[in-house]
């Protein structure tokens, strides 16, 4: 069995997902969650890649609670096989270094990678990140039924009154809140610590319902004060500043900056926007050891 599992969250573009699978499947065990609203053909992928584990459990809503539930589900599934490392990426990521280089680097550095800094974060809006969880947000309500519209309106009014009268939801007792990147590499000890904490604190996750972008908080808060060996470093190259998308959808003009970064992966890519940059990066990484 491989010592490294790569967990991938996918929601669109089957061609790009298959490109990612083909570049990773020979050296890693892959666990892939496909959004329930996606047009990706899960049955076709199961047939083509019998050694890859595919799931389709959640309708993932950007900034909502399912962005926590989905990676946690993949963590639990993969942890049953007790890997040395668990790498969480999205299907819009591309590896920048070869599979051998990924394995070698993890073996040499022998650590988890979790960007986790104590709140409040000066670069984050909404009270340095605290209001992501202390206000009620409409993120989890996306339907267009009369009931959904009413629910959104009620939650929105609650949030307005919270701000007006400085009322906040209570934070979970006994923890300090940390924030950082969703995308992580967890060594076995960090994975065990994470799942044990959640199992021993069943009410903890519920505090993130009706929150905003708490996928950048829940795991980071648990591991931010743990004794697990961790590097506070990003595993992915991202461009949050150039636009027109935030983060930027990377294009061929970004090629030099991408390949000169020290990261394991880069994101985000979309072959419907720029296919050339994806193939050029993969050709380069597959020609090096």
């Amino acid at each position: 069995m491989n010592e490294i599992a790569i967990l991938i969250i996918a929601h669109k573009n089957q061609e790009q997902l298959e490109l990612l699978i083909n570049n990773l499947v020979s050296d890693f065990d892959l666990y892939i969650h496909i959004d329930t609203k996606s047009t990706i053909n899960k049955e076709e992928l199961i047939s083509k890649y019998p050694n890859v584990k595919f799931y389709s459990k959640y309708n993932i809503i950007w900034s909502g609670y399912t962005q926590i539930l989905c990676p946690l589900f993949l963590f639990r599934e993969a942890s049953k096989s007790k890997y040395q490392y668990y790498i969480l990426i999205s299907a819009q990521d591309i590896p920048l270094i070869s599979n051998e280089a990924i394995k070698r680097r993890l073996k040499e550095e022998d650590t988890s990678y979790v960007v986790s800094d104590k709140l409040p974060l000066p670069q984050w809006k909404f009270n340095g990140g605290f209001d992501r969880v202390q206000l009620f947000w409409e993120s989890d309500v996306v339907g267009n039924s009369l009931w959904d519209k009413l629910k959104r309106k009620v939650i929105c009014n609650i949030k307005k009154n919270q701000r007006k009268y400085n009322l906040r939801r209570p934070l979970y007792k006994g923890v300090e809140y940390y924030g950082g990147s969703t995308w992580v590499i967890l060594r076995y000890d960090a994975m065990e610590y994470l799942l044990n904490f959640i199992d021993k604190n069943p009410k903890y996750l519920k505090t993130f319902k009706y929150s905003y972008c708490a996928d950048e908080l829940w795991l980071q808060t648990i591991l931010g004060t743990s004794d697990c060996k961790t590097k506070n470093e990003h595993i992915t190259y991202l461009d949050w500043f150039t636009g027109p998308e935030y983060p930027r959808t990377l294009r061929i003009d970004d090629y030099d900056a991408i390949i000169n970064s020290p990261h394991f992966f880069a994101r985000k890519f979309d072959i419907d926007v720029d296919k050339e940059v994806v193939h050029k990066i993969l050709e380069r990484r597959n020609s090096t050891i």
Side-chain angles (χ1 to χ4, degrees), residues 2 4-6 24-30 87 99 102-103:
N2 291 316
I4 302 172
I6 298 186
L24 297 173
V25 71
S26 62
D27 292 282
F28 308 106
D29 288 349
L30 305 184
I87 302 175
N99 294 348
I102 292 173
K103 292 189 287 186

Side-chain angles (χ1 to χ4, degrees), residues 9 111 147-148 256:
I9 298 175
T111 187
W147 170 244
D148 290 326
D256 288 340

Side-chain angles (χ1 to χ4, degrees), residues 81-235:
S81 294
K82 300 189 181 303
Y83 295 95
Q84 190 80 5
Y85 288 98
Y86 305 80
I87 302 175
L88 178 66
I89 63 174
S90 88
Q92 289 188 278
D93 289 31
I94 293 294
L96 299 183
I97 57 178
S98 69
N99 294 348
E100 286 302 316
I102 292 173
K103 292 189 287 186
R104 182 171 61 248
R105 185 169 164 185
L106 290 179
K107 184 176 181 180
E108 290 172 355
E109 298 184 0
D110 191 30
T111 187
S112 297
Y113 287 79
V114 182
V115 176
S116 190
D117 298 308
K118 191 174 180 181
L119 267 56
L121 297 180
Q123 69 272 28
W124 278 12
K125 297 188 297 182
F126 309 124
N127 194 25
F130 279 116
D131 281 355
R132 293 188 183 199
V133 290
Q134 289 197 281
L135 296 179
F136 283 96
W137 296 81
E138 314 93 284
S139 306
D140 294 321
V141 186
V142 295
N144 289 313
S145 69
L146 184 61
W147 170 244
D148 290 326
K149 291 178 181 177
L150 177 61
K151 207 173 175 184
R152 275 196 296 274
K153 186 174 182 179
V154 169
I155 295 172
C156 185
N157 285 334
I158 291 173
K159 182 172 61 177
K160 287 179 181 178
N161 283 314
Q162 283 185 287
R163 284 175 165 156
K164 181 177 180 179
Y165 298 106
N166 196 27
L167 300 172
R168 296 296 186 268
R169 300 163 69 179
L171 297 171
Y172 193 77
K173 291 182 180 179
V175 300
E176 294 180 300
Y177 278 71
Y178 283 72
S181 173
T182 300
W183 316 110
V184 297
I185 298 176
L186 299 186
R187 199 174 66 163
Y188 64 91
D189 58 328
M191 179 63 73
E192 183 177 6
Y193 186 95
L194 176 73
L195 297 181
N196 283 342
F197 180 92
I198 292 171
D199 290 340
K200 291 177 180 177
N201 297 271
K203 294 182 180 179
Y204 171 74
L205 284 185
K206 294 178 182 178
T207 64
F208 295 107
K209 287 185 175 180
Y210 301 107
S211 61
Y212 174 80
C213 291
D215 58 305
E216 297 178 335
L217 295 169
W218 72 282
L219 177 150
Q220 297 78 8
T221 294
I222 295 172
L223 294 177
T225 55
S226 77
D227 293 329
C228 301
K229 185 180 178 183
T230 304
K231 277 193 173 185
N232 191 356
E233 295 180 7
H234 289 276
I235 69 168

